[in-house]
Amino acid sequence: MSEALVTLEAVQKIFPKAKNPALTNLSAELLPGRITGLIGPDGAGKTTLIRLIAGLLTPTAGTIRVTGLDPIKDATQLHKTIGYMPQKFGLYEDLTVQENLELHADLRNVIGEDRKATFKRLLDFTDLSTFTTRLAGKLSGGMKQKLGLACALLGTPRLLLLDEPGVGVDPISRRELWKMVHDLIDQGITVVWSTAYLDEAELCEEVLLINEGQLLFYGKPQEMTNRIRNRSFQIRNPSGSRRQLLERALRHPSVMDGVIQGHHVRLVLRAHTKPLDLRELDAGENAELIPINPRFEDAFIEALGGGPGGDSVLAQRLQPIIDDHKTIIEATDLTKTFGAFTATDHVNFAVKRGEIFGLLGPNGAGKSTTFRMMCGLLAPSSGTARVLGIDLKKSASLARQQLGYMAQKFSLYGNLTVHQNLNFFSGIYGLKGPQQKKIVNEMIEIFNLHPFLHTRPDTLPLGFKQRLALACAVMHEPPILFLDEPTSGVDPVTRREFWTHINGMVEKGVTVMVTTHFMDEAEYCDRIALVFRGKIIAAGTPDQLKSQVATADNPDPAMEDAFIALVQEQSHE
Amino acid sequence: MSNFLSLRRLRALCRKETLQILRDPSSNIIAFVLPVLLLFIFGYGINLDASAVHIGLVLEDAGPEARRFANNLYGSPYLQVTTGLNQKAMEQAMAAGQVRGFVVVPQDFSEKIKRPLETAPLQIIVDGSEPNTASFVQNNMRGVWNGWLLQRATERGEKPATDITIESRFWFNPSAESRNYLIPGSITIIMTVIGTLLTSLVVAREWERGTMEALLASPVTRTELLLSKLIPYYILGIISLFLCVGVSVLILNVPFRGSILALWGIGSLFLSSSLGMGLLISTLMRNQFNAAQAALNAAFLPALMLSGFVYEIRSMPEVIQAFTYLIPARYFVTAIQTIFQAGTVGPLLLSSGLFLLLSSVFFIGLTALKTRRRLE
Amino acid sequence: MLSRIVTLIIKELQMLLMDRSSRMILIMPVVLQLGLFPFAATLEVTNNTLAVFNEDNGNQSLELIKRFSKAQAFSELIPLYSELDIRQVLDNQKALIVIRFPADFSRNITAEHSATIQALLDGRRSNSGQIALGYVQQILLNYNNEHLIDQRRSPPSILITRNWFNPNLNYVHHIVPGLVAIITTVSTLIITALSVAREREQGTFDQLLVSPLTPGMIMIGKAVPAMLVAMSQATIILLAGIFIYKIPFVGSFMLLYLCMVFYVLALVGFGLLIASICATQQQAFLGVFSFVMPTVLLSGFVSPVENMPIWLQYVDWINPLRHFMVIVKGIFLKDIDIPIIIHNLWPLWIIALGTLSAANWKFRQHLG
């Protein structure tokens, strides 16, 4: 049994002015040569813990030892033995790759022959050799992440602390990073990896699961997943609307949690319930209930007390829109060039009423550019983007009245109160008088915003920000919704609640266009276009995309496998 | 030693800082474009000497004495005279700002002045809405009037009415041009902008972009961190100082009588005091936007208003006067104006230098105290 | 349509007034300008130091020195005893002006010869020196005239000086109307440029652009709040000028506010243009700073526009503050006639038209 590298004993951190402690009574011992995942939703306290370990914050109570040192008293010693990559990677964006490396090498006294060798090793390792003269700010998210890692690795640390390295990075880059980190583990480096992606937890040897400053679980991820063994199922080949099926399923007392996976519906049952009878759910003749492997996320949802229900009060108050099978959103040869760079290259698609259409793609592939052109925020270089047959760029505040929009990062007025935000957004969409009041009150009711009416959104928990943003986007009952990475960083429970509302609205005839890099989210879509290097490289239903990459080895690929395989196939060409 | 200061780390940090300065367009604008622009504004745009001020002359009397006087007015290099017959029209012109004042030569002027025992009054009406110009107008008109009286007496072989004459001479600036002291004074403003405004942004920027966190988790020490901000910006400030002096002397033709060495010395002290203040602000604020505002209120405005470079400190209320003694810019204004115009005046420069040294120690020391190796 | 614009305006006002730091941006300038500028921004010469090197010590010189020391301009009198002292006080800025009476001064006067005194001034402050010299000359002139009357001679002519619009040449009368104009400038620019930059930085600008609001409505939504806030601040300064600093307001308030509206429009255009080239609030702040500095310095507030070289006067034509400064001071102190106002107003119309259309074009282009 080797000595623990990091010892946490009843660690507590309370920030001045904060109501709740950021961390309470956290104890753990991290063993050397392992990768420990620090898992939890945004605002759980992950960053605080990493900073405590790095000696950047002083614990309010409890003791921390890192390689036998006190991170505060022995900070100077400690900083020679750790590598730390903060969120946003801590790179100087106006320095080149080489200059960033040189700076960190000098700071960590990596000199002479050793320096040359280290640079070569790290550049090869991170695949950045050809980009040494590029400014760090001009790198893609994935490349920045690798450079941040390379900088943290200079001086060969014993302990590597990575704070959310996967945020805003596409699955391919994330996979590469995982591979790199595993190589480091083999070299004997200990890694602490913090992430909000629960699927990454399964790749760690040990996880610390934190929620609201509390340690929910500490151990091997498998142990946690095993808790819900034999309770995960997939309903294959249901007939009728799978969204309605999910809604019915979530009402069923035996069902704890459920999501849509392409044509199928994935359910997790409560403990100690009788097996589910599909006839109760009216799933159709051909529907089958197939047991599948549990996921860490299932266990996490259970730890948080189960998923939200399947009913959307928001959708219930909507008048159904008659499905006229019209094409609502249409891109024809849509192209956008920035100088010599083509961000979107002759993209074509059409979205019919009542559909969820997803744009999926790695960072910098052009999905955001395409999305912005569709909702009129960017003028196309050539081709047309039409919503309801109208070019949004050219005219049409009338057409814009028809759409709701949710931006990638939270973008409501942070220094107005929740109530003022609601009043503002209803006001600019032309609601006024008693009608405005009524709708605003309904939103407050539906999203439980009562306690926060006079707080500023900036200080709200992320889940409530999310609700508020959705409320502001749908108050004027738009028949079209544009969602740009709507749930990044949000915990899975909130994400499910969000999609419950979206599903409910789509059932009423609302048309949705969404960009995402979450594979889970892609599964909710009726159709997906996979964007890579400005072009649509594959399009179809989630199941069609998955079946495109099915092989003998992997007959039932996950969405992420499909994504990676399709993109890699393209990039080899 | 290496626990406090490693030359390698310091050099690496300075190099980084320098590259950032060179690549950041807004730093370049603040450090090089704004100074030259300001210098030209102060060189050409701000001129307190009403050199050819427009005045009016209402000549109600066409007699010879009146015309003599008028000719003297026309001959003054400091006045541009518009002649009119109607006082009402002239009043209108003054309200519109076309003339800054006017003289009324009344109808009976030539008559009255002829009689030995009578006094012929002349009236000057001045636009008081611009007090400084008004003083100039009064002084200049009085000068013309005096000259006219003297000339008249001499010609008539009389004893001049004025027995006492005053000979005035401006030391250091014989032609009494305001730009000769405004331009050196404005260098103070420029140094303040670079020293405080620019540096107040740099530490705050590191906090905002998260790079400070990465630095803090590395073996960098507090001393290195501080020096790596001071040294590059000091060099930038000194380059800018000499750029300004060059432009002032070579392009704007301001005389320079002191020693470059003294200028460098006192400039360095002022710069370190400004840098210290800028770093203190951004260390406390950690947010570029607030830092810029604080710098504007704490450094720029006092330097503009209370340094005595345009406005007269001695005419301010005593409380404000007392407060100006705390403002580093005040000492630098005095010093740099002296170096430009009077030369290297030992005692004055020493006392200014001493204060600037104290304030540098104060600001940099306080920044060092406030610089944390942690995020809290 | 109207209700949407009202919604925008309410939001903007809430943003400006609710947030502590934005409130500070609005309050600080008013406080500073009211508390500091009227006292500090002065070119008057009062309470200065006069040094006297009296080689004469006769009655006449002593009498004159007494008169000098009673003048408002000088509160301190340093007696000097050698030429070296003169050098000392001037070099070290101990005195603004040195008066030197020659040894035969009083003797000459008594003998009814003409006498000369010397004034040596610090050229590092030549403006103050010239004003101080003016005071000294005035004192000499009065002395002379009294002297003539003593001799039962009357001076052939006297000079009667009247200062209109500001009889005592009080500097505050010049500063406060100027501040009304400056506060309007600073606030309008800060509010428009910063609020647009903030919306862009926080992503809320996109929210506005995808909403049914037209660029025109968004611009009105930015212009009106800026106008309301800037004009309220101007009103505070105006009232303080009238009631605290006791400056008589002789013109028409209606006209002043009407002109202010046009002026704010011209500025809103500049503010939006600055915002359109800045990505962050910090850049917008520096942008406004770099714009306001020359605008104020070249407005005629610090020194008259006519003292500039002719070419610069032409360039300065696009400076809206230069025109507005004339209007504010004119209405405040002089009650100028409408033709004079219009003469200074039409450049503002042209500037407003130019900047607003440019901003509108930039706004639309930004979408592309």
Side-chain angles (χ1 to χ4, degrees), chain A residues 13 51 55-58 72 79 84 88 90-92 94-95 99 102-103 106-109 111, chain B residues 8-9 12 15-16 19-20 23 206 208 210-211 213 215-220 373-376:
Chain A
K13 178 69 196 173
R51 287 175 173 171
L56 297 175
L57 291 175
T58 330
I72 298 301
H79 289 154
Y84 173 51
K88 296 187 273 177
L91 298 171
Y92 288 97
D94 32 18
L95 299 192
E99 286 160 355
E102 280 170 6
L103 171 67
D106 279 330
L107 295 184
R108 294 183 181 277
N109 224 8
I111 44 173
Chain B
R8 171 170 298 110
R9 288 198 295 254
R15 183 163 166 264
K16 171 219 96 182
L19 288 171
Q20 280 190 299
R23 285 177 194 165
E206 296 234 18
E208 270 182 9
T211 47
E213 216 180 315
L215 283 188
L216 291 183
S218 76
V220 170
R373 285 290 285 115
R374 285 192 286 282
L375 292 170
E376 298 160 291

Short mmCIF file of all heavy atoms in Angstrom, two decimals, chain A residues 13 51 55-58 72 79 84 88 90-92 94-95 99 102-103 106-109 111, chain B residues 8-9 12 15-16 19-20 23 206 208 210-211 213 215-220 373-376:
data_model
loop_
_atom_site.label_atom_id
_atom_site.label_comp_id
_atom_site.label_asym_id
_atom_site.label_seq_id
_atom_site.Cartn_x
_atom_site.Cartn_y
_atom_site.Cartn_z
N LYS A 13 -14.47 24.94 3.29
CA LYS A 13 -14.14 26.25 2.76
C LYS A 13 -15.40 27.10 2.73
O LYS A 13 -16.40 26.74 2.10
CB LYS A 13 -13.56 26.13 1.33
CG LYS A 13 -13.23 27.46 0.70
CD LYS A 13 -12.06 28.14 1.35
CE LYS A 13 -11.99 29.61 0.99
NZ LYS A 13 -10.95 30.31 1.76
N ARG A 51 -8.19 24.42 -6.21
CA ARG A 51 -7.40 25.57 -5.77
C ARG A 51 -6.86 25.36 -4.37
O ARG A 51 -5.76 25.81 -4.05
CB ARG A 51 -8.24 26.84 -5.84
CG ARG A 51 -8.46 27.30 -7.27
CD ARG A 51 -9.40 28.48 -7.31
NE ARG A 51 -9.47 29.04 -8.65
CZ ARG A 51 -10.35 29.96 -9.00
NH1 ARG A 51 -11.20 30.44 -8.11
NH2 ARG A 51 -10.36 30.44 -10.23
N GLY A 55 -2.84 25.22 -3.25
CA GLY A 55 -2.35 26.25 -2.34
C GLY A 55 -2.74 27.65 -2.77
O GLY A 55 -2.12 28.63 -2.37
N LEU A 56 -3.76 27.77 -3.58
CA LEU A 56 -4.19 29.10 -4.02
C LEU A 56 -5.30 29.65 -3.14
O LEU A 56 -5.65 30.81 -3.23
CB LEU A 56 -4.66 29.04 -5.47
CG LEU A 56 -3.59 28.63 -6.48
CD1 LEU A 56 -4.19 28.48 -7.87
CD2 LEU A 56 -2.47 29.65 -6.51
N LEU A 57 -5.87 28.79 -2.31
CA LEU A 57 -6.88 29.24 -1.36
C LEU A 57 -6.52 28.63 0.00
O LEU A 57 -5.90 27.57 0.06
CB LEU A 57 -8.28 28.75 -1.76
CG LEU A 57 -8.94 29.34 -3.00
CD1 LEU A 57 -10.25 28.63 -3.27
CD2 LEU A 57 -9.18 30.83 -2.81
N THR A 58 -6.92 29.29 1.06
CA THR A 58 -6.68 28.76 2.40
C THR A 58 -7.95 28.08 2.88
O THR A 58 -9.03 28.66 2.79
CB THR A 58 -6.38 29.91 3.38
OG1 THR A 58 -5.76 30.95 2.65
CG2 THR A 58 -5.52 29.46 4.52
N ILE A 72 -0.28 25.83 1.97
CA ILE A 72 -0.18 27.25 2.25
C ILE A 72 1.21 27.59 2.77
O ILE A 72 1.90 28.44 2.21
CB ILE A 72 -1.25 27.68 3.27
CG1 ILE A 72 -2.64 27.43 2.71
CG2 ILE A 72 -1.08 29.13 3.66
CD1 ILE A 72 -2.93 28.15 1.41
N HIS A 79 4.90 24.38 -5.19
CA HIS A 79 4.71 24.78 -6.57
C HIS A 79 5.79 24.26 -7.50
O HIS A 79 5.64 24.30 -8.71
CB HIS A 79 4.61 26.32 -6.65
CG HIS A 79 3.33 26.82 -6.07
ND1 HIS A 79 3.17 28.07 -5.55
CD2 HIS A 79 2.13 26.19 -5.92
CE1 HIS A 79 1.93 28.20 -5.09
NE2 HIS A 79 1.29 27.08 -5.32
N TYR A 84 -0.38 22.74 -12.88
CA TYR A 84 -1.76 23.16 -12.68
C TYR A 84 -2.27 23.79 -13.95
O TYR A 84 -1.66 24.71 -14.48
CB TYR A 84 -1.81 24.14 -11.51
CG TYR A 84 -3.15 24.80 -11.28
CD1 TYR A 84 -4.31 24.06 -11.19
CD2 TYR A 84 -3.25 26.18 -11.15
CE1 TYR A 84 -5.54 24.66 -10.97
CE2 TYR A 84 -4.47 26.80 -10.93
CZ TYR A 84 -5.61 26.04 -10.85
OH TYR A 84 -6.82 26.64 -10.63
N LYS A 88 -10.03 27.61 -18.58
CA LYS A 88 -9.61 28.51 -19.67
C LYS A 88 -8.12 28.38 -19.93
O LYS A 88 -7.52 29.21 -20.60
CB LYS A 88 -9.98 29.97 -19.39
CG LYS A 88 -11.47 30.21 -19.30
CD LYS A 88 -11.77 31.69 -19.17
CE LYS A 88 -11.73 32.11 -17.73
NZ LYS A 88 -11.96 33.55 -17.54
N GLY A 90 -5.28 29.14 -18.79
CA GLY A 90 -4.24 30.02 -18.27
C GLY A 90 -3.13 30.34 -19.25
O GLY A 90 -1.99 30.55 -18.86
N LEU A 91 -3.47 30.40 -20.52
CA LEU A 91 -2.44 30.70 -21.52
C LEU A 91 -2.41 32.19 -21.82
O LEU A 91 -3.42 32.87 -21.70
CB LEU A 91 -2.75 29.96 -22.83
CG LEU A 91 -2.76 28.45 -22.72
CD1 LEU A 91 -3.31 27.85 -24.00
CD2 LEU A 91 -1.37 27.92 -22.44
N TYR A 92 -1.26 32.67 -22.23
CA TYR A 92 -1.18 34.05 -22.72
C TYR A 92 -1.57 34.03 -24.19
O TYR A 92 -0.83 33.52 -25.03
CB TYR A 92 0.22 34.62 -22.52
CG TYR A 92 0.48 34.90 -21.07
CD1 TYR A 92 1.16 34.00 -20.27
CD2 TYR A 92 -0.01 36.05 -20.49
CE1 TYR A 92 1.37 34.24 -18.93
CE2 TYR A 92 0.18 36.29 -19.15
CZ TYR A 92 0.88 35.39 -18.37
OH TYR A 92 1.06 35.65 -17.04
N ASP A 94 -1.77 36.28 -26.37
CA ASP A 94 -0.99 37.07 -27.33
C ASP A 94 0.46 36.61 -27.43
O ASP A 94 1.30 37.30 -28.00
CB ASP A 94 -1.09 38.57 -27.04
CG ASP A 94 -1.24 38.87 -25.56
OD1 ASP A 94 -0.93 37.97 -24.76
OD2 ASP A 94 -1.65 39.99 -25.21
N LEU A 95 0.76 35.46 -26.85
CA LEU A 95 2.08 34.86 -27.07
C LEU A 95 1.90 33.63 -27.94
O LEU A 95 0.84 33.01 -27.95
CB LEU A 95 2.72 34.45 -25.75
CG LEU A 95 3.01 35.53 -24.70
CD1 LEU A 95 3.90 34.97 -23.60
CD2 LEU A 95 3.64 36.75 -25.30
N GLU A 99 6.44 30.59 -27.30
CA GLU A 99 6.71 31.57 -26.24
C GLU A 99 6.03 31.19 -24.93
O GLU A 99 6.59 31.37 -23.85
CB GLU A 99 6.25 32.97 -26.69
CG GLU A 99 7.17 33.59 -27.71
CD GLU A 99 6.53 34.71 -28.53
OE1 GLU A 99 5.31 34.94 -28.37
OE2 GLU A 99 7.24 35.31 -29.34
N GLU A 102 8.21 28.49 -23.53
CA GLU A 102 9.47 29.01 -23.00
C GLU A 102 9.27 29.71 -21.66
O GLU A 102 10.07 29.57 -20.74
CB GLU A 102 10.11 29.97 -24.01
CG GLU A 102 10.83 29.23 -25.11
CD GLU A 102 11.26 30.15 -26.25
OE1 GLU A 102 11.09 31.37 -26.12
OE2 GLU A 102 11.75 29.61 -27.26
N LEU A 103 8.18 30.46 -21.59
CA LEU A 103 7.91 31.16 -20.34
C LEU A 103 7.81 30.16 -19.19
O LEU A 103 8.48 30.29 -18.17
CB LEU A 103 6.61 31.96 -20.46
CG LEU A 103 6.11 32.56 -19.15
CD1 LEU A 103 7.05 33.64 -18.65
CD2 LEU A 103 4.72 33.15 -19.32
N ASP A 106 11.12 28.53 -18.30
CA ASP A 106 11.98 29.39 -17.51
C ASP A 106 11.49 29.47 -16.06
O ASP A 106 12.28 29.45 -15.12
CB ASP A 106 12.02 30.80 -18.11
CG ASP A 106 12.99 30.88 -19.27
OD1 ASP A 106 13.98 30.11 -19.25
OD2 ASP A 106 12.75 31.68 -20.20
N LEU A 107 10.18 29.58 -15.92
CA LEU A 107 9.63 29.69 -14.57
C LEU A 107 9.93 28.45 -13.75
O LEU A 107 10.08 28.50 -12.55
CB LEU A 107 8.12 29.93 -14.62
CG LEU A 107 7.66 31.24 -15.24
CD1 LEU A 107 6.15 31.37 -15.13
CD2 LEU A 107 8.34 32.42 -14.58
N ARG A 108 10.01 27.32 -14.44
CA ARG A 108 10.22 26.06 -13.72
C ARG A 108 11.65 25.55 -13.87
O ARG A 108 11.92 24.39 -13.60
CB ARG A 108 9.23 25.01 -14.20
CG ARG A 108 7.82 25.41 -13.83
CD ARG A 108 6.81 24.38 -14.22
NE ARG A 108 5.48 24.85 -13.84
CZ ARG A 108 4.99 24.71 -12.62
NH1 ARG A 108 5.69 24.12 -11.69
NH2 ARG A 108 3.80 25.17 -12.33
N ASN A 109 12.50 26.46 -14.33
CA ASN A 109 13.92 26.14 -14.38
C ASN A 109 14.25 24.93 -15.25
O ASN A 109 15.08 24.11 -14.90
CB ASN A 109 14.42 25.89 -12.95
CG ASN A 109 15.74 26.58 -12.74
OD1 ASN A 109 16.18 27.33 -13.61
ND2 ASN A 109 16.38 26.31 -11.63
N ILE A 111 16.12 23.94 -18.25
CA ILE A 111 17.10 24.63 -19.08
C ILE A 111 18.02 23.65 -19.80
O ILE A 111 17.99 22.44 -19.54
CB ILE A 111 17.96 25.62 -18.25
CG1 ILE A 111 18.37 24.96 -16.95
CG2 ILE A 111 17.20 26.89 -17.99
CD1 ILE A 111 19.34 25.77 -16.13
N ARG B 8 16.47 34.19 -13.95
CA ARG B 8 15.91 33.54 -15.12
C ARG B 8 14.40 33.74 -15.19
O ARG B 8 13.85 34.08 -16.22
CB ARG B 8 16.24 32.05 -15.10
CG ARG B 8 15.50 31.29 -16.21
CD ARG B 8 15.97 29.89 -16.39
NE ARG B 8 17.37 29.86 -16.79
CZ ARG B 8 18.35 29.42 -16.01
NH1 ARG B 8 18.08 29.02 -14.80
NH2 ARG B 8 19.59 29.41 -16.43
N ARG B 9 13.77 33.52 -14.04
CA ARG B 9 12.31 33.70 -14.02
C ARG B 9 11.94 35.15 -14.30
O ARG B 9 11.02 35.43 -15.05
CB ARG B 9 11.75 33.26 -12.65
CG ARG B 9 11.77 31.77 -12.45
CD ARG B 9 10.84 31.36 -11.33
NE ARG B 9 11.26 31.89 -10.05
CZ ARG B 9 11.83 31.17 -9.08
NH1 ARG B 9 12.07 29.88 -9.29
NH2 ARG B 9 12.17 31.71 -7.94
N ALA B 12 12.31 35.89 -17.91
CA ALA B 12 11.24 35.28 -18.69
C ALA B 12 9.94 36.08 -18.56
O ALA B 12 9.25 36.32 -19.55
CB ALA B 12 11.02 33.84 -18.22
N ARG B 15 10.20 39.33 -20.43
CA ARG B 15 10.13 39.10 -21.86
C ARG B 15 8.67 38.91 -22.28
O ARG B 15 8.20 39.49 -23.26
CB ARG B 15 10.94 37.84 -22.20
CG ARG B 15 10.98 37.54 -23.66
CD ARG B 15 12.09 36.58 -24.00
NE ARG B 15 11.87 36.09 -25.34
CZ ARG B 15 11.24 34.93 -25.58
NH1 ARG B 15 10.85 34.17 -24.60
NH2 ARG B 15 11.02 34.57 -26.82
N LYS B 16 7.96 38.14 -21.51
CA LYS B 16 6.54 37.92 -21.76
C LYS B 16 5.78 39.24 -21.77
O LYS B 16 5.01 39.54 -22.67
CB LYS B 16 5.98 36.99 -20.68
CG LYS B 16 4.49 36.86 -20.68
CD LYS B 16 3.94 36.81 -19.28
CE LYS B 16 3.48 38.16 -18.84
NZ LYS B 16 2.98 38.22 -17.49
N LEU B 19 6.57 41.31 -24.84
CA LEU B 19 5.89 40.81 -26.04
C LEU B 19 4.42 41.20 -26.02
O LEU B 19 3.84 41.57 -27.04
CB LEU B 19 6.02 39.28 -26.12
CG LEU B 19 7.41 38.77 -26.49
CD1 LEU B 19 7.48 37.26 -26.32
CD2 LEU B 19 7.74 39.15 -27.93
N GLN B 20 3.84 41.12 -24.84
CA GLN B 20 2.42 41.47 -24.74
C GLN B 20 2.19 42.94 -25.06
O GLN B 20 1.25 43.29 -25.75
CB GLN B 20 1.90 41.17 -23.34
CG GLN B 20 1.59 39.70 -23.16
CD GLN B 20 0.85 39.47 -21.86
OE1 GLN B 20 1.36 39.76 -20.80
NE2 GLN B 20 -0.35 38.94 -21.95
N ARG B 23 2.41 43.51 -28.71
CA ARG B 23 1.35 42.92 -29.55
C ARG B 23 -0.03 43.45 -29.25
O ARG B 23 -0.98 43.15 -29.97
CB ARG B 23 1.36 41.40 -29.36
CG ARG B 23 2.53 40.80 -30.09
CD ARG B 23 2.64 39.34 -29.88
NE ARG B 23 3.97 38.90 -30.33
CZ ARG B 23 4.50 37.75 -30.03
NH1 ARG B 23 3.84 36.90 -29.29
NH2 ARG B 23 5.70 37.44 -30.46
N GLU B 206 -4.48 40.10 -16.15
CA GLU B 206 -4.04 38.75 -15.83
C GLU B 206 -5.05 38.02 -14.95
O GLU B 206 -5.26 36.82 -15.09
CB GLU B 206 -2.68 38.80 -15.13
CG GLU B 206 -1.59 39.35 -16.02
CD GLU B 206 -0.39 38.41 -16.11
OE1 GLU B 206 -0.53 37.22 -15.78
OE2 GLU B 206 0.69 38.88 -16.51
N GLU B 208 -8.30 38.65 -14.91
CA GLU B 208 -9.50 38.38 -15.71
C GLU B 208 -9.30 37.19 -16.64
O GLU B 208 -10.20 36.39 -16.82
CB GLU B 208 -9.86 39.61 -16.54
CG GLU B 208 -10.78 40.55 -15.83
CD GLU B 208 -11.16 41.72 -16.68
OE1 GLU B 208 -10.85 41.73 -17.89
OE2 GLU B 208 -11.78 42.65 -16.13
N GLY B 210 -7.32 34.71 -16.27
CA GLY B 210 -6.98 33.46 -15.60
C GLY B 210 -5.51 33.10 -15.69
O GLY B 210 -5.10 32.04 -15.23
N THR B 211 -4.70 33.98 -16.29
CA THR B 211 -3.27 33.65 -16.39
C THR B 211 -2.58 33.83 -15.05
O THR B 211 -1.58 33.19 -14.77
CB THR B 211 -2.59 34.52 -17.44
OG1 THR B 211 -2.98 35.88 -17.22
CG2 THR B 211 -3.00 34.12 -18.82
N GLU B 213 -3.70 32.93 -12.25
CA GLU B 213 -3.84 31.68 -11.51
C GLU B 213 -2.74 30.71 -11.89
O GLU B 213 -2.16 30.05 -11.04
CB GLU B 213 -5.21 31.10 -11.84
CG GLU B 213 -5.85 30.43 -10.66
CD GLU B 213 -7.20 29.87 -11.03
OE1 GLU B 213 -7.97 30.57 -11.70
OE2 GLU B 213 -7.47 28.72 -10.64
N LEU B 215 0.18 31.48 -13.06
CA LEU B 215 1.46 31.99 -12.53
C LEU B 215 1.59 31.68 -11.04
O LEU B 215 2.64 31.28 -10.57
CB LEU B 215 1.57 33.50 -12.74
CG LEU B 215 1.91 34.00 -14.12
CD1 LEU B 215 2.16 35.50 -14.06
CD2 LEU B 215 3.14 33.29 -14.67
N LEU B 216 0.49 31.88 -10.33
CA LEU B 216 0.54 31.69 -8.88
C LEU B 216 0.82 30.24 -8.52
O LEU B 216 1.38 29.96 -7.47
CB LEU B 216 -0.77 32.14 -8.23
CG LEU B 216 -1.03 33.64 -8.26
CD1 LEU B 216 -2.31 33.97 -7.52
CD2 LEU B 216 0.14 34.39 -7.66
N ALA B 217 0.40 29.33 -9.39
CA ALA B 217 0.65 27.92 -9.10
C ALA B 217 2.04 27.49 -9.55
O ALA B 217 2.40 26.34 -9.43
CB ALA B 217 -0.41 27.07 -9.79
N SER B 218 2.83 28.42 -10.06
CA SER B 218 4.20 28.10 -10.46
C SER B 218 5.15 28.66 -9.40
O SER B 218 4.73 29.37 -8.50
CB SER B 218 4.48 28.72 -11.83
OG SER B 218 4.69 30.10 -11.67
N PRO B 219 6.43 28.39 -9.50
CA PRO B 219 7.34 28.85 -8.44
C PRO B 219 7.63 30.35 -8.45
O PRO B 219 8.52 30.78 -7.72
CB PRO B 219 8.63 28.07 -8.74
CG PRO B 219 8.26 26.99 -9.67
CD PRO B 219 7.09 27.46 -10.43
N VAL B 220 6.90 31.13 -9.20
CA VAL B 220 7.16 32.57 -9.25
C VAL B 220 6.98 33.20 -7.86
O VAL B 220 6.04 32.88 -7.15
CB VAL B 220 6.18 33.23 -10.24
CG1 VAL B 220 6.24 34.74 -10.14
CG2 VAL B 220 6.49 32.79 -11.64
N ARG B 373 0.17 35.72 -2.73
CA ARG B 373 0.51 34.54 -3.49
C ARG B 373 -0.69 33.63 -3.58
O ARG B 373 -0.59 32.50 -3.99
CB ARG B 373 1.69 33.82 -2.81
CG ARG B 373 3.02 34.49 -2.99
CD ARG B 373 3.53 34.38 -4.44
NE ARG B 373 4.03 33.05 -4.75
CZ ARG B 373 3.49 32.25 -5.63
NH1 ARG B 373 2.43 32.63 -6.28
NH2 ARG B 373 4.00 31.07 -5.87
N ARG B 374 -1.82 34.09 -3.13
CA ARG B 374 -3.03 33.25 -3.17
C ARG B 374 -4.14 34.00 -3.88
O ARG B 374 -3.99 35.15 -4.23
CB ARG B 374 -3.45 32.90 -1.75
CG ARG B 374 -2.57 31.87 -1.11
CD ARG B 374 -3.20 31.34 0.16
NE ARG B 374 -3.12 32.31 1.23
CZ ARG B 374 -2.01 32.53 1.94
NH1 ARG B 374 -0.91 31.88 1.66
NH2 ARG B 374 -2.01 33.41 2.92
N LEU B 375 -5.25 33.31 -4.05
CA LEU B 375 -6.34 33.93 -4.79
C LEU B 375 -7.23 34.79 -3.90
O LEU B 375 -8.09 35.49 -4.38
CB LEU B 375 -7.20 32.84 -5.44
CG LEU B 375 -6.51 32.07 -6.57
CD1 LEU B 375 -7.33 30.88 -6.97
CD2 LEU B 375 -6.30 32.98 -7.76
N GLU B 376 -7.03 34.66 -2.56
CA GLU B 376 -7.92 35.43 -1.68
C GLU B 376 -7.32 36.76 -1.32
O GLU B 376 -6.12 36.90 -1.23
CB GLU B 376 -8.18 34.64 -0.39
CG GLU B 376 -8.86 33.34 -0.68
CD GLU B 376 -8.69 32.36 0.46
OE1 GLU B 376 -7.57 31.90 0.66
OE2 GLU B 376 -9.66 32.05 1.11
#
